[in-house]
Amino acid sequence: MDQGEAKSNENHSSSSSSSSGDSNPCPICLGPFLQESYLDSCFHKFCYNCILQWTKVVAGKHSRSPSSLKCPLCKTENFSIIFGYDGSSFQRQYVNVNVNFEHSSFFSKAHKYRLKCYYTEPGILSNIVNVSRYWKSHKYLQPNRWLLSWLRREIQALLQEEDVEIIVHHILGVVDSFLKRGDQFHQMKTPEAKQGEFKTLVSNAARPFLAARTERFVNELEMFLASSFNIQAYDEVYMQQLGWNIPRVIGEAADAERGEHEPVIPYLYIFYDDSDEAD
């Protein structure tokens, strides 16, 4: 009996020691974790306030706040902080979502709207746009006169940079190269094979610039092409599906007159007022 109790106490002591040894302090404050949080790509753990303040410090060293954050430990690019995990759900703070765009001459209401779209559930127009028919009917071979402008706005919104012409024309060149393949390719390949190859080519071209947002970007590009809408019509249908009010995202004057109510975003994330970064 005594030996059993001693052995039990020994195991308990060993387990407690092991558990204590496994819990490392926060790499930033070197203290116990307060509100554990994780970076979304490398999953390194920090106190939530510690990594949030680190984000602000890093942003303050750039003339334009970055849209991603390099992990203080491994230097991996991350786009959000995961926190508030309770076993079934979590919250997410995206890096630099709440940028003060009023001081940026190129970042319009349309750019802001498109950036917000990337934080909603994917496949918003799947019940309206028949992507499968787009590939089966060879509709993809028809030129799209709005593609260049749509790509420019999309890349500007995602990177929050004005000068994206090199990236835009690189991706546009990949799309054109795919369309100019010989008749044998377009006739012999199945619609599914053509769709898969197209998305792979565009993904490879966009990934060095868009990183974790590449897959969503490619899906958005495919949806825009399959819709055959012009940019304004595409925007209006997209916002109707999300239940957002429909400001004139192409005309800034109309935006100022009508205003824009904040959308209900399916994902859990929080916007913070980072006005202190400008001081």
Side-chain angles (χ1 to χ4, degrees):
M1 184 72 173
D2 292 341
Q3 290 180 348
E5 288 179 353
K7 189 171 184 179
S8 175
N9 290 336
E10 182 182 349
N11 289 338
H12 177 74
S13 175
S14 174
S15 175
S16 299
S17 175
S18 175
S19 175
S20 175
D22 290 340
S23 56
N24 296 319
C26 170
I28 296 177
C29 70
L30 301 180
F33 287 102
L34 298 176
Q35 194 176 12
E36 292 183 356
S37 64
Y38 302 83
L39 294 177
D40 63 357
S41 294
C42 64
F43 289 99
H44 278 126
K45 182 168 66 172
F46 306 87
C47 297
Y48 177 69
N49 285 331
C50 287
I51 193 61
L52 196 63
Q53 290 302 318
W54 179 273
T55 302
K56 292 183 178 182
V57 170
V58 172
K61 296 179 179 179
H62 295 78
S63 58
R64 190 186 304 280
S65 297
S67 59
S68 63
L69 171 71
K70 287 186 178 181
C71 173
L73 295 178
C74 66
K75 307 306 180 185
T76 299
E77 292 284 347
N78 293 268
F79 291 91
S80 65
I81 304 167
I82 306 298
F83 66 102
Y85 179 68
D86 62 5
S88 60
S89 63
F90 62 87
Q91 292 179 286
R92 173 175 290 176
Q93 166 68 47
Y94 282 92
V95 176
N96 197 34
V97 171
N98 198 30
V99 178
N100 188 1
F101 294 121
E102 286 75 13
H103 300 296
S104 179
S105 60
F106 84 93
F107 208 95
S108 65
K109 290 283 187 179
H111 289 99
K112 184 176 180 180
Y113 139 74
R114 280 308 296 169
L115 182 59
K116 286 183 178 181
C117 288
Y118 276 77
Y119 301 126
T120 64
E121 298 286 354
I124 296 300
L125 301 185
S126 57
N127 61 331
I128 293 178
V129 179
N130 192 328
V131 174
S132 177
R133 182 182 299 171
Y134 172 75
W135 291 102
K136 290 179 179 178
S137 65
H138 293 264
K139 189 178 176 182
Y140 66 92
L141 292 174
Q142 299 174 4
N144 187 305
R145 55 188 287 193
W146 303 287
L147 180 57
L148 174 60
S149 297
W150 187 90
L151 279 174
R152 181 182 293 114
R153 186 188 68 173
E154 207 79 356
I155 302 299
Q156 284 178 336
L158 288 173
L159 297 183
Q160 299 163 32
E161 295 286 348
E162 181 175 12
D163 186 8
V164 296
E165 291 305 303
I166 293 177
I167 303 172
V168 169
H169 285 282
H170 175 53
I171 295 174
L172 191 63
V174 169
V175 174
D176 288 341
S177 177
F178 174 84
L179 297 179
K180 292 177 181 178
R181 295 200 173 184
D183 292 339
Q184 185 175 2
F185 170 83
H186 294 293
Q187 293 175 3
M188 299 296 292
K189 292 276 188 176
T190 65
E192 293 76 16
K194 287 181 286 190
Q195 179 186 23
E197 187 157 348
F198 172 82
K199 296 179 77 169
T200 298
L201 289 170
V202 176
S203 293
N204 291 339
R207 185 167 288 108
F209 311 102
L210 303 183
R213 294 175 178 174
T214 300
E215 183 177 354
R216 178 65 184 269
F217 164 76
V218 174
N219 289 337
E220 292 288 326
L221 169 61
E222 182 183 45
M223 192 68 68
F224 174 71
L225 291 173
S227 73
S228 293
F229 296 151
N230 63 29
I231 296 176
Q232 183 172 352
Y234 183 81
D235 290 350
E236 292 183 354
V237 171
Y238 206 107
M239 286 188 285
Q240 285 174 348
Q241 291 300 298
L242 287 169
W244 299 1
N245 284 344
I246 308 176
R248 291 290 177 179
V249 296
I250 304 303
E252 292 299 303
D255 270 338
E257 292 176 4
R258 297 180 58 179
E260 178 182 14
H261 95 277
E262 287 297 318
V264 177
I265 305 297
Y267 289 169
L268 293 173
Y269 63 94
I270 299 175
F271 289 142
Y272 285 91
D273 183 4
D274 291 335
S275 56
D276 58 327
E277 291 183 13
D279 295 337

